[in-house]
Amino acid sequence: QVRLVESGGGSVQARGSLRLSCVISGYTYSPRCMAWFRQAPGKEREWVAALYVHTYTTSSYYTDSVKGRFTISQDTAKNTLYLKMNSLKPEDTAMYHCAADGQLDWDQCSRAIRPTDYRDWGQGTQVTVSP
């Protein structure tokens, strides 16, 4: 059974930092395409960042509002996806979800920014940034 379990959320002041983790399990073959989305109250779920795992390297993609502040990465040995968030702003406040899909290739992953592009999801971890 595929499971994605997020952790690391919390409450911080603006300009603070957090690192989110997502432990991924249950796949026969580890998914190459993984992503972070976020959803603020009353808003649609928004794509934040994605990572594609090649044989010896990775490719990462970010929405414009987090470029230069957030970093997506993974630890293969721990089956864990991370999102390091620096210089947090109040507008980053949201529930953050990790997502994965074992069927997306590199090209598809680079364009997968809709929630419906991903098959598997975690329950989310809340991030609250105060002014």
Side-chain angles (χ1 to χ4, degrees):
Q1 181 182 357
V2 171
R3 291 191 68 201
L4 287 75
V5 180
E6 302 95 334
S7 62
S11 297
V12 295
Q13 291 187 322
R15 296 179 297 281
S17 298
L18 284 173
R19 189 181 75 162
L20 307 183
S21 301
C22 175
V23 178
I24 300 173
S25 62
Y27 285 94
T28 301
Y29 300 99
S30 296
R32 291 183 177 272
C33 184
M34 298 165 282
W36 288 96
F37 285 74
R38 64 187 179 187
Q39 188 166 19
K43 294 188 176 181
E44 295 186 350
R45 192 165 293 191
E46 172 193 28
W47 174 77
V48 175
L51 186 78
Y52 187 83
V53 181
H54 304 277
T55 303
Y56 299 111
T57 187
T58 58
S59 296
S60 54
Y61 310 93
Y62 300 92
T63 192
D64 286 345
S65 63
V66 308
K67 284 181 181 176
R69 300 190 297 124
F70 290 11
T71 302
I72 188 171
S73 64
Q74 64 135 23
D75 185 327
T76 303
K78 296 181 179 180
N79 294 319
T80 302
L81 179 72
Y82 299 102
L83 185 68
K84 182 68 190 308
M85 306 184 294
N86 296 325
S87 302
L88 282 162
K89 304 175 181 180
E91 50 264 44
D92 295 318
T93 295
M95 182 72 77
Y96 283 71
H97 299 266
C98 63
D101 195 303
Q103 301 301 314
L104 296 176
D105 61 25
W106 181 18
D107 178 62
Q108 292 168 330
C109 189
S110 69
R111 296 181 284 112
I113 63 172
R114 302 170 302 175
T116 52
D117 291 329
Y118 291 86
R119 184 179 65 181
D120 301 310
W121 289 85
Q123 294 299 308
T125 185
Q126 178 67 37
V127 172
T128 302
V129 184
S130 57

